[in-house]
Amino acid sequence: MKYFAKKLAGLVATLLAVSFLVFAAFAVIPGDPATAMLGTEATPARVEELRARLGLNDPLIVRYARWAADFVRGDFGTSYRYNMTVKSMIWDKIPITLTLAGMSFVLIVLISVPVGILCAWHAQSRLDRTVMVVNQIIMAVPAFFSGILITLVFGLVFHFFTPGDYVSYHTSWSGFLGYLFFPAVAIALPKAAMAAKLLRTSVIAEKKLDYVRTAYSRGNRTKAVLYRHVLKNALIPVVTFLGMALADMVAGSIVIEQVFNIPGIGRILLTSISNRDYPVVQAVIVCIAFLVIFINFLVDMLYRWIDPRIALE
Amino acid sequence: MMGKKSSTNFKVGAILTGIVLVCMAVGFFWTPYDPEAMNSARKLAGVSLAHPMGCDNFGRDILSRVLKGGGTTLLVALGTVAIGACCGIVAGAFTGYYGGIVDEVFMRINDALFAFPSILLGLVFVSLLGSGKYNVVVALGIAFIPSFARIVRSEFIRCKNMDYVKSAKLAGAGDLRIMFVHILPNVMTTLSSSVMIGFNNAVLAEAGMSYLGIGVQPPDASLGRMLSEAQTYLFSAPGYAMFPGAVLILTVLGFSLLAEGIKERRQGS
């Protein structure tokens, strides 16, 4: 419980720090939001009036407090470029990016755990070596390039899907998930290769420890030793890696969305960056950062559950 | 058994990296054609003796552009790692050596920055500074500081109570001297493989950002940029995407094998 409270306090502190850093970064950039909204033709008086109305003349910390309070209430501000709230722009895009990241995560686990265990159990066999060489190559392929390869092979040559023919989840969930499958594979491949390698190394290291020999000598069968003893310990570094990978995947989906023409959070972020539409950029980045920090928090909790010794440190 | 495997990783990695570096160095001074020269007659031309990788949608020689673009990618990665490692070493050394409240505050900020995946942090900085080659270096460089600072800090914490540090203190060495003359060289081995991995991540991040169109700007060639341009012609001219992609993969593969080889050597010895 004390561990939980400590981690929760850390979570809140990091959230505040991150949101303040992002807010401050966007506050110091040259360029006046009021001028951006009214255009360069606006009279100084009108700009000044809008500045006062937006509260831009207040000190940074006051503006941050106001922005943070609005943010917590779900008011992410108004886009400079399009006269609409940021929330209405990003709200229905969030499920798209989250589904994509979630699907890739499931794929990573489904691929890496069996491959890692299989290779570790048959370490140095021909199978293990072949898989590890393939693994090493897959790790070197950037996700967006595997996306391009998948588009070429499965989209253009075999016609498993039509590139660019995105189906919204409002129209059909099955079509939506079907379209996201290949992008998810593209994101998952390099991470799955890394996770499999990590799990393999970790299982091999655990296999040599005394408690495994004891477990055998007490008459356990190979499978029982593997699943009940070795795997639980070997998973610890893999869980850390997967937690970090999940955070990376949310960011990685920004690039993959572009490859497969998916109108998710990444698309909004990129258009807003080129439009210099800062309230949108700021909101999207804070949202992603919060998500990442929250995932790290969950990983810490999961850790504690896998290895209760961690709380003692 | 282990010894043989470690040398395989190291050798293959060194050979791949060597080939890539030599090609990029050559591309820096000489390319078969002008990488920016357009020729509408050769638009999307296939592989031929005159153009071993074919031509792009403007009739520019892809091999020349790959050589030039690969060089840009490597330089960006080099700059990124240099900024990240230098600042990271200084930050990690001070926080790890002194500890206390400075360390606490610094590590909170570090954790906050660490929460950002590097490409996202790169995006933030590019949206603040504007796109272009040099801004990408600065943006990614800053984004890479936390990971280096973290590694250096934990190594400094491990080393600062060791006997050789104590004896240096007794001999009257100042803090700065202890940090950078005595401890730092001992941290270098650990740091070297992180530098390699960081270099790889920088190559990938730059390629990703240029692919998104916010990294290196035309007319500068970059592997990521070429891939994004090639995607439109994926079916009609697959080579346009495959060659830059292959070069990217070989670069990353070479460096990761080399990093692995170095790590194995260290563990072996």
Side-chain angles (χ1 to χ4, degrees), chain A residues 182-294:
Chain A
F182 285 105
V185 171
I187 301 177
L189 273 179
K191 301 278 177 208
M194 283 178 217
K197 193 178 166 193
L198 200 63
L199 184 60
R200 172 184 177 274
T201 319
S202 168
V203 169
I204 291 177
E206 289 289 330
K207 243 170 42 172
K208 291 183 187 136
L209 295 181
D210 285 346
Y211 77 88
V212 177
R213 203 176 42 195
T214 314
Y216 274 126
S217 66
R218 279 168 47 193
N220 281 301
R221 276 174 305 136
T222 316
K223 271 201 176 138
V225 174
L226 172 65
Y227 290 110
R228 224 175 297 147
H229 299 275
V230 173
L231 207 53
K232 206 172 166 189
N233 286 309
L235 273 177
I236 293 173
V238 182
V239 170
T240 321
F241 172 79
L242 288 179
M244 282 161 77
L246 195 54
D248 253 4
M249 262 176 283
V250 176
S253 61
I254 296 173
V255 186
I256 290 297
E257 278 172 20
Q258 207 65 10
V259 179
F260 288 92
N261 223 346
I262 300 167
I265 285 289
R267 172 74 64 80
I268 293 258
L269 183 61
L270 286 173
T271 6
S272 309
I273 286 177
S274 51
N275 286 341
R276 305 198 151 249
D277 196 348
Y278 294 128
V280 185
V281 179
Q282 197 171 319
V284 170
I285 284 173
V286 172
C287 281
I288 296 180
F290 276 19
L291 201 67
V292 169
I293 295 167
F294 190 65

Side-chain angles (χ1 to χ4, degrees), chain B residues 118-137:
Chain B
S118 54
I119 191 157
L120 193 66
L121 209 54
L123 283 173
V124 175
F125 284 110
V126 164
S127 69
L128 297 175
L129 304 168
S131 52
K133 199 161 44 177
Y134 300 105
N135 286 342
V136 171
V137 174

